[in-house]
Amino acid sequence: MPHPAEIRIVSRRFGNPEARTLAGYLADEGYQGLEKALAMTPEQIVEEMKASGLRGRGGAGFPTGMKWSFVPKQSARPKYILCNADESEPGTCKDRLVMEWDPFSIIEGMTIAARAIGSRQGYIFIRGEYRYLFAIVDRALEEAYAAGYLGKNIRGSGMDFFLYTHSGAGAYECGEESALMESLEGKRGLPRLKPPFPAIVGLYGGPTVINNVETLATVPHILRGGGAWYAAYGPPKNGGTRLFCLSGHINQPGVYELPLGFPLERMLQEVGGGILEGKPLKAIVPGGSSTPILTAAETAGLNMDYDSVARLGTFLGSGGVVVLARDTCMVKFALRIIRFYRHESCGWCVPCREGTHWLAQAIGRFHAGQGRPADIKLFEDVASNILGRTFCPLGDAAAMPILAIVRKFRAEFEAHAATAACPAPAALEPQSA
Amino acid sequence: MPEPPQMVNLTINGRPVQAPAGSLLIEVCRANQIEVPSFCYYPNFSLQAACRMCLVEIEKTPKPQTACTVTVTEGMVVKTDTPVVHQARKSSIEFILTNHPLDCPVCDAGGQCELQDMTFRYGAAESRFEEPKAHRDEQQWSPVVYFDRPRCILCYRCVRVCGEGMDVWALALGGQRGVGSSIIPNRQDHLECEECGMCIDICPVGALTSGPYRYKTRPWEMRHTGSICTFCGDGCKTTLGVRNGQIMRGDNRDKSGINGDFLCIKGRYGFDFTRGEARLRQPLVRRQGELRPASWAMALEAAAQGLLAARQQQGVGVLGSTRLLNEEHYQLQKLARLALKTNHLDHSRSADLPGFLAALARHASSSATPWASSQDLKTAKAVLLVGGDPTQEHPLLAWNLRWAYRLHASRLYILNAGDIKLRRQAHRYAQVAASGFDAALAFLAGSGAAPAAQLTSVPPAAINTWPITPVSPISQLPDGLPEFLAALRQESDVIIVFSPQVQAAALASLVQLGASLPGQTRYIALAHDANSRGASDMGLYPGLLPGYAPLSSPAAAQWERLWGGPLPSEPGLDAAGMLDAFNRGDLDGLYIVGANPLRRHGFDAAPGRRKGFLVVQDLFLTETAAAADVVLPALCAYEKSGTLTNTCGEVQWQRRAADFEGAKSDLEIIHELSALLGHDLGTSSPERIFQEIRAHVPGYDVSWVQLHSGAGALSHLPPQSSVDASPLVRISATPWTRSADGLARGQTLFTDGELARRSVLLNSVMERHETNDAQ
């Protein structure tokens, strides 16, 4: 059941199985956005998107309208519109719900995007682990083709758009836009050199727009309600609502659509029903595992929008809010995070490949009781040497959380080194674990 | 002329610098002697930005940038010498070393390892990495290539040189992600490739090592001599590492030769024929029907007596080599003409150079130099390749053609009888029957309509059928030949490369075609062996003197004056004629230098069945040598000094690299034998003899500086109008070439006459390939 504080725009059809069918979708104001878009010029669509203040929901938060405006009007090669459904950031589980409950909103959003940039072809790149979603999305595509919402001359508008699903093979790196395109082209999922950026040279060398699932699913609502209507939900430059994925030591974990700028305190206590077993808060991860952690003290009075979170030196990221109660071992938490990034490092560049491996081995040894005080500086040094030095953002994603955890919870690391073990496990480990 | 590039101004470390717009920052820094280290960056291959060694600070960018991917722009302010940059390099080295074993003392690369050098220069003194290193056993991927995975720093140079450079694509990034990433071969646990060894040479560390060299010696224990490869006609420089007089390694690490980075398997590993047990270490003389060891004095005396006796009767023939040095070719033809007083003189011909020079004299529109160097090929706008398979027969030229295609958008036009590998780079391709070159070229030259009759039911000739795919007879002119011609006629600067398949009349058409193209046309005549071109230029012909002067030309008199003796005026027998005459007993002596016709020409010289006298001079006891009366052991090209002329006509200085006890250089043998035959050839100093060649053989007035710098001095051989009248063109139309009896396979990447036959490594590679093919 939705929480009363939620404002359900992109999630309005969650829980309604009828919306997975074209008839159900149409009955619930589906395809009204495209109808409007077909009467607009591409420039007008882009302007509407800019007015909405919509920023990418995948993690980087880049303004969507601006991204679309970078695509050149004329191109010798075909232009492509891609949906990044490789949702892999730990703590993030929102795109799967959009695909599960509202696949047509993605199709409609991509069709509008295709009209805005002049593309005839698109792909939905779904992470391999989301295999069960293919049946749902592919059925929606079939219905859309059959009803003339995809294919040649869409609804008599003269516009052609062909859309397909494509499965990832289980690599976090393929959520990085250029690695996603490599994978889609049938190659190893390695990132590409930038520039050129995808808007100029993307899939198969053609100009390409690549957006997150939630971003694209929001597009029809913006077209239907207007950019200004959408923007009004959030603070300036942080338009609208977004899906927050609450997880960790929280009583009611789940995906909630809240206006940007929603107070964190209310998110945890009202929406999330408070910290597990009423324990005090220790820290939160604000936007997926790659975003630097915030201590409980830092979060006082925090509103959850891009700019407020950025002022604390971290990111709203992918909307994955991970809650950590007082007795969490932060060394162990760091180990969990770095093991993930070591496993997912594509291996292309030196600092990420070797640095994540080194950190994972060293923090593993440290947590197992073989730590020394000098190791703490080593963790900081190694993470600093990864940060800003790697080929793609994965290195930063690995280094930033480690740096933040080590710096903000140094005492806990020192205690580990001093006792040569996880100190007073009863006090640190969550009771439920 | 191309427009000069637009220049931009930037500042590097406070120094104003100018550079062409669009240049890579790393190249601009290096061109200005500003050090920027790198592992993965390698000029002329795709950019990787993987090693992060070249991070530099650029004003107005928040974090360090890789100099290997940033192009310079106007007003850019770059710093390469800041604490941030130094710290970044140090940390990159530290990361690389985490999983790199510190087994430098037993590593082949030790002493010339880029990681070692960079660690000394930029790295930390101590390691902070205390975790266990990943170990994996080394793998043998081929007789040539070994992979020691833990040493690999994943710079991807090998992947690119194999794919982008060689167009083989046998290596790739595979394995797991992250630290599980690994370079992998194309056949799971082994390589199926051209075995060029480029991946090994380009490896900055000791991850890829070579079978023939690994664990044999250390770099500092060898003396390194820049030599010229003695296999095919491309004339690659191979730097030979020699320890105790024995060649241990061949490579071109300093990139100073005409071949730049390139070397094929033969240039790199084929040298092992030099050390085989089969090398002749002392002269042999036949006594009581048996070849028995003899002293040099006895052997030379016996050879001279036998040849003199034969000269008194029906005469002597001289069959020269295609691998001797120019000075040796030149002195050998003097020996034949002045000491043996005969024009029965020839060599194993490949390119029909006399025919080509005659065609040039008749048809070429301009007197401008018509020759293209191997470097010209690298930047050619357009190339017409007629016949041949450079990938197999001329690996350097194939490399250069791919280079031109990849980096200069060169357009390659191919007229060929087979589906050669270079077709991948072809802009236009037309397939002709193996004997259809005459007709196709006649058509292209515009000499009338398609002579279809000539082409009807022509069977594919028994040319080298391996590895060229045999094609079925073509009864018409190839489809698309008019379009081929129309496209070619749009070109304003063409290099025409033609194989020995193009002879006589076809050459006339070829030159007419060249003359009909607008703009500049230059030529490369493909000749098989290391000094085929030199043998031809130095006059190892029955009717032509050095520089292709006919016996009856005014030049003949000049040569007589220079050499101080009368020249025989009667044209002699060609190779086939000599062998035939000797078989029949119409020739009483034969002096064969570095050739083995017994295996290839039905030439039967068994002692009991001939009456003539046979002297053979060679490295090995070949089939022909085993049948001889006197065998004179010779040194190979790596054991002597002098000049060689490659297939493009580039003259290069060969430096003696190795020693070999018991044998003499061909030059020394020729001089001593000539003296015993009654003619003193004068000084046997290669330098002095080359001075004579340089002064008197047309086209050989090359610069000494170029000759010795390794740049390759292109000889400007002039057209020869008077050759036309000689019967030579007709004779060379039935060339004495390999593979006539189906025994020899012709020239390929792994085979090349007698020398390759004696290379253990080349044979092991072929056996391995045959085994793989059979599976």
Side-chain angles (χ1 to χ4, degrees), chain A residues 14-338:
Chain A
F14 286 13
N16 171 17
E18 289 304 307
R20 286 179 190 156
T21 67
L22 183 58
Y25 184 68
L26 288 169
D28 192 6
E29 298 183 348
Y31 274 116
Q32 292 185 6
L34 178 64
E35 198 175 313
K36 275 199 176 176
L38 288 175
M40 293 161 75
T41 65
E43 292 78 13
Q44 286 170 328
I45 300 173
V46 171
E47 282 314 305
E48 204 62 45
M49 291 304 298
K50 285 184 178 170
S52 75
L54 178 69
R55 292 168 65 162
R57 302 299 194 223
F62 194 82
T64 306
M66 200 185 294
K67 193 185 248 187
W68 292 8
S69 72
F70 291 156
V71 176
K73 289 202 167 36
Q74 302 299 324
S75 166
R77 286 170 182 270
K79 300 182 213 176
Y80 297 95
I81 171 87
L82 303 184
C83 173
N84 185 344
D86 193 60
E87 184 175 58
S88 311
E89 178 83 1
T92 315
C93 51
K94 62 189 179 64
D95 293 338
R96 61 188 285 179
L97 293 183
V98 179
M99 287 183 273
E100 188 170 340
W101 292 108
D102 201 0
F104 282 103
S105 67
I106 304 166
I107 299 170
E108 185 184 351
M110 289 182 78
T111 312
I112 294 166
R115 176 154 175 84
I117 68 160
S119 160
R120 293 183 75 248
Q121 200 164 327
Y123 295 91
I124 306 173
F125 185 95
I126 305 176
R127 73 179 290 200
E129 293 88 337
Y130 282 175
R131 191 142 295 277
Y132 75 103
L133 291 174
F134 277 87
I136 297 168
V137 178
D138 283 337
R139 223 193 83 193
L141 285 176
E142 266 176 48
E143 273 203 83
Y145 274 111
Y149 283 99
L150 281 177
K152 276 195 173 299
N153 191 16
I154 289 176
R155 306 298 286 174
S157 65
M159 175 191 172
D160 302 342
F161 186 54
F162 297 87
L163 185 57
Y164 313 92
T165 53
H166 184 93
S167 172
Y172 173 80
E173 179 60 10
C174 290
E176 195 280 336
E177 56 187 12
S178 64
L180 184 150
M181 292 187 289
E182 286 285 292
S183 176
L184 189 49
E185 289 178 10
K187 296 180 247 172
R188 191 177 170 98
L190 298 172
R192 294 178 181 171
L193 268 181
K194 290 182 227 172
F197 291 97
I200 312 298
V201 181
L203 186 68
Y204 300 116
T208 302
V209 154
I210 174 161
N211 284 130
N212 168 260
V213 171
E214 183 187 348
T215 312
L216 288 165
T218 305
V219 168
H221 301 290
I222 290 171
L223 266 287
R224 184 171 51 83
W229 160 80
Y230 185 77
Y233 282 105
K237 293 186 187 166
N238 288 267
T241 61
R242 78 171 294 174
L243 297 171
F244 287 96
C245 321
L246 267 180
S247 68
H249 304 141
I250 189 100
N251 281 319
Q252 287 163 29
V255 175
Y256 302 94
E257 183 169 4
L258 297 166
L260 283 158
F262 195 81
L264 177 70
E265 177 70 15
R266 285 185 61 203
M267 190 186 291
L268 301 184
Q269 299 307 329
E270 283 180 33
V271 180
I275 311 294
L276 212 58
E277 296 172 22
K279 288 174 187 170
L281 179 69
K282 186 173 197 173
I284 68 147
V285 173
S289 64
S290 63
T291 57
I293 201 162
L294 293 171
T295 64
E298 285 178 298
T299 63
L302 176 63
N303 293 335
M304 294 296 275
D305 59 73
Y306 292 96
D307 297 335
S308 303
V309 173
R311 275 194 288 277
L312 293 178
T314 183
F315 309 95
L316 204 53
S318 59
V321 180
V322 183
V323 181
L324 304 177
R326 184 65 154 277
D327 49 9
T328 312
C329 171
M330 297 311 286
V331 176
K332 191 175 179 187
F333 186 63
L335 181 59
R336 282 286 289 276
I337 288 183
I338 196 63

Side-chain angles (χ1 to χ4, degrees), chain B residues 367-425:
Chain B
S367 58
T369 168
W371 302 101
S373 72
S374 47
Q375 289 304 301
D376 293 336
L377 213 49
K378 267 181 128 166
T379 53
K381 288 197 175 68
V383 176
L384 169 63
L385 174 65
V386 186
D389 185 358
T391 312
Q392 294 285 335
E393 299 156 357
H394 295 277
L396 171 63
L397 298 194
W399 165 271
N400 288 346
L401 287 169
R402 291 191 300 267
W403 184 285
Y405 166 80
R406 185 165 59 91
L407 300 169
H408 299 278
S410 173
R411 290 169 298 277
L412 176 60
Y413 296 77
I414 295 181
L415 195 64
N416 207 291
D419 192 5
I420 60 171
K421 187 179 153 201
L422 277 168
R423 188 175 177 179
R424 295 181 196 170
Q425 281 76 31

Side-chain angles (χ1 to χ4, degrees), chain B residues 14-245:
Chain B
R15 223 171 91 193
V17 166
Q18 260 209 343
S23 317
L24 288 174
L25 179 55
I26 195 168
E27 287 291 345
V28 174
C29 287
R30 288 176 177 181
N32 287 280
Q33 286 78 49
I34 294 162
E35 204 171 279
V36 177
S38 70
F39 289 113
C40 70
Y41 174 73
Y42 202 88
N44 300 307
F45 290 126
S46 63
L47 304 177
Q48 315 289 290
C51 73
R52 319 307 282 182
M53 281 300 291
C54 67
L55 289 171
V56 296
E57 288 196 277
I58 301 174
E59 233 169 57
K60 292 177 190 151
T61 49
K63 53 183 190 182
Q65 301 291 308
T66 45
C68 71
T69 59
V70 172
T71 48
V72 292
T73 52
E74 183 66 36
M76 186 179 258
V77 179
V78 181
K79 294 199 180 90
T80 72
D81 201 18
T82 66
V84 169
V85 170
H86 284 284
Q87 198 278 333
R89 289 174 188 167
K90 191 170 162 183
S91 89
S92 248
I93 295 275
E94 184 177 42
F95 280 138
I96 290 170
L97 288 175
T98 55
N99 275 308
H100 186 90
L102 299 179
D103 61 350
C104 311
V106 296
C107 174
D108 269 354
Q112 49 184 211
C113 168
E114 293 179 37
L115 179 56
Q116 221 175 26
D117 295 346
M118 294 229 209
T119 304
F120 274 107
R121 184 126 178 74
Y122 305 109
E126 284 175 21
S127 171
R128 298 191 292 174
F129 181 82
E130 297 171 19
E131 322 305 328
K133 295 193 183 208
H135 174 75
R136 282 183 173 81
D137 288 340
E138 64 181 9
Q139 301 163 35
Q140 182 182 0
W141 284 348
S142 85
V144 168
V145 186
Y146 282 70
F147 182 56
D148 200 329
R149 180 171 157 188
R151 290 183 189 153
C152 175
I153 64 170
L154 290 167
C155 68
Y156 318 116
R157 283 190 199 175
C158 54
V159 175
R160 285 170 287 160
V161 78
C162 183
E164 299 167 21
M166 295 301 299
D167 194 25
V168 170
W169 308 96
L171 294 170
L173 177 61
Q176 299 293 307
R177 286 191 293 261
V179 283
S181 302
S182 173
I183 303 300
I184 53 165
N186 58 353
R187 294 288 178 268
Q188 290 202 331
D189 63 345
H190 70 273
L191 272 171
E192 197 174 299
C193 68
E194 295 179 4
E195 311 276 5
C196 64
M198 291 293 291
C199 55
I200 300 168
D201 239 14
I202 209 166
C203 180
V205 296
L208 290 164
T209 55
S210 81
Y213 173 72
R214 61 206 307 271
Y215 302 136
K216 293 275 196 313
T217 183
R218 311 311 308 261
W220 58 86
E221 293 173 332
M222 296 182 287
R223 191 166 39 79
H224 302 275
T225 306
S227 197
I228 309 298
C229 176
T230 187
F231 285 92
C232 85
D234 288 351
C236 291
K237 176 179 171 183
T238 173
T239 300
L240 299 173
V242 177
R243 195 185 65 181
N244 299 334

Side-chain angles (χ1 to χ4, degrees), chain B residues 545-558:
Chain B
L545 295 164
Y548 304 90
L551 298 171
S552 54
S553 67
Q558 289 170 19

Side-chain angles (χ1 to χ4, degrees), chain B residues 445-493:
Chain B
S447 57
Q454 280 187 39
L455 288 161
T456 326
S457 61
V458 174
I463 55 149
N464 306 342
T465 52
W466 190 90
I468 295 173
T469 320
V471 293
S472 54
I474 297 172
S475 56
Q476 304 278 322
L477 268 182
D479 284 341
L481 208 56
E483 294 78 8
F484 187 98
L485 180 60
L488 193 59
R489 285 212 167 122
Q490 301 296 312
E491 301 290 352
S492 59
D493 187 356

